[in-house]
Amino acid sequence: MRLARIDGGAGERSVAVVAGATGDHVLDLGPRPLSELFAELDGIRDLIETTDAETLPTLDPSSLRAPVRPRILACLGYNYRGHVPDGVDPTTDDPATPDVFVKTANTLGGPNDPVVVPAVADDVDYEGEVAVVIGRRAHAVPLAEAMSYVAGYTVLNDVSDRSWQRKQSQWALGKCFDGFAPLGPWLVTADEVDPQDLLVEVVRDGVVTVSQSTATTIFSVAFVVHHLSQVMTLEPGDVVSTGTPQKLPDAQEAHRPLAPGDAVTVRISGLGEFTTTFVAPPGDSA
């Protein structure tokens, strides 16, 4: 089941995206955020099954907004085998615990929102990631129960500026420019997804630059939810992003910072895709 937020003209509304013979349609679920609807998923599923998709309005993809607005957007670094910090041997043993950082609320964007390339950012880069959406309050969750706290999954482009990231031991400033976390296009509920069997791909300039399965992640979704919940209480709608694979060798060799006019598509099997366009700051003619 796909759940989304759209601009309904008079404000955002939650919808179920329902496939029909003529394309995707939307079943209106009202103005409440998706995080308030997670306890009602069974009823929404029943409603979809008894509704003729062709009687519903057609989805306008340009109306899609970020599916959730997390209080916490926790992200993982170096969670795919083969993706390691510069200078580290990629064949070394797996780390004992995840490398966790946080993106702040100002970074959130929707699947159609352009991302401004800041004038002070010299090395803006992209990272396609599977984002886990928490479905119920999670604190000190046992590993065996962790998956029951997941509402579903969506797609994140963890935009980063490497120059600011390299300026300090903590990554916050390189990760937290305004709009550096476009999220979408919708949430796919957990019952339809095996998070350890998804293909993560990124396309830039018509070329696939990232292509790797989540089967190669070091820490599973269950472990990450369990691990984080020992420290921070996760609430419905919070997001845990599971890291990016390493770029393919040709893409690494041809690395070029993102610039106004560039576009990057992140696509993940079973979850969907969206394209982010990068633009100059307002008033900048570049």
Side-chain angles (χ1 to χ4, degrees):
M1 180 167 60
R2 291 175 293 167
L3 303 176
R5 292 285 287 177
I6 64 169
D7 182 351
E12 290 191 10
R13 301 186 70 80
S14 292
V15 299
V17 180
V18 185
T22 58
D24 285 334
H25 300 261
V26 292
L27 176 62
D28 190 359
L29 301 176
R32 286 189 295 160
L34 291 183
S35 58
E36 295 183 10
L37 299 176
F38 291 154
E40 304 171 21
L41 294 184
D42 288 343
I44 294 170
R45 197 171 286 109
D46 290 343
L47 184 59
I48 291 172
E49 291 177 356
T50 57
T51 300
D52 179 359
E54 298 303 317
T55 66
L56 300 172
T58 301
L59 171 66
D60 174 5
S62 69
S63 71
L64 288 165
R65 301 294 182 258
V68 291
R69 294 197 167 273
R71 300 173 317 114
I72 294 171
L73 205 173
C75 303
L76 270 60
Y78 308 117
N79 189 36
Y80 282 78
R81 291 188 173 88
H83 187 205
V84 295
D86 292 342
V88 174
D89 182 353
T91 64
T92 56
D93 292 339
D94 291 340
T97 56
D99 196 346
V100 180
F101 62 93
V102 174
K103 290 178 82 88
T104 46
N106 63 300
T107 64
L108 185 69
N112 296 302
D113 293 337
V115 171
V116 172
V117 177
V120 296
D122 299 324
D123 195 0
V124 178
D125 204 358
Y126 55 86
E127 295 185 353
E129 307 191 3
V130 176
V132 181
V133 181
I134 300 300
R136 60 191 178 103
R137 192 172 190 268
H139 175 72
V141 172
L143 178 59
E145 300 174 14
M147 295 304 289
S148 69
Y149 289 82
V150 175
Y153 305 87
T154 187
V155 180
L156 174 74
N157 186 346
D158 174 17
V159 183
S160 311
D161 182 70
R162 305 304 183 195
S163 61
W164 280 86
Q165 192 173 338
R166 288 189 291 262
K167 287 181 180 181
Q168 54 189 53
S169 61
Q170 303 299 312
W171 296 353
L173 293 183
K175 293 287 187 176
C176 293
F177 282 93
D178 294 342
F180 267 27
L183 191 73
W186 40 60
L187 175 151
V188 180
T189 51
D191 60 304
E192 297 188 2
V193 179
D194 177 355
Q196 307 310 141
D197 187 23
L198 301 173
L199 179 62
V200 178
E201 292 192 309
V202 180
V203 180
R204 180 181 180 180
D205 300 329
V207 176
V208 175
T209 59
V210 172
S211 183
Q212 193 165 334
S213 171
T214 57
T216 63
T217 53
I218 298 167
F219 301 102
S220 68
V221 168
F223 181 84
V224 172
V225 172
H226 154 74
H227 181 72
L228 292 178
S229 75
Q230 308 308 306
V231 176
M232 60 182 73
T233 299
L234 301 170
E235 299 286 357
D238 284 346
V239 168
V240 178
S241 200
T242 55
T244 185
Q246 181 64 279
K247 290 186 177 71
L248 297 171
D250 287 351
Q252 292 183 63
E253 292 179 9
H255 171 69
R256 174 175 60 83
L258 290 164
D262 286 339
V264 171
T265 298
V266 181
R267 63 189 186 203
I268 301 178
S269 59
L271 301 185
E273 66 178 62
F274 65 85
T275 298
T276 298
T277 301
F278 292 83
V279 299
D284 189 332
S285 59

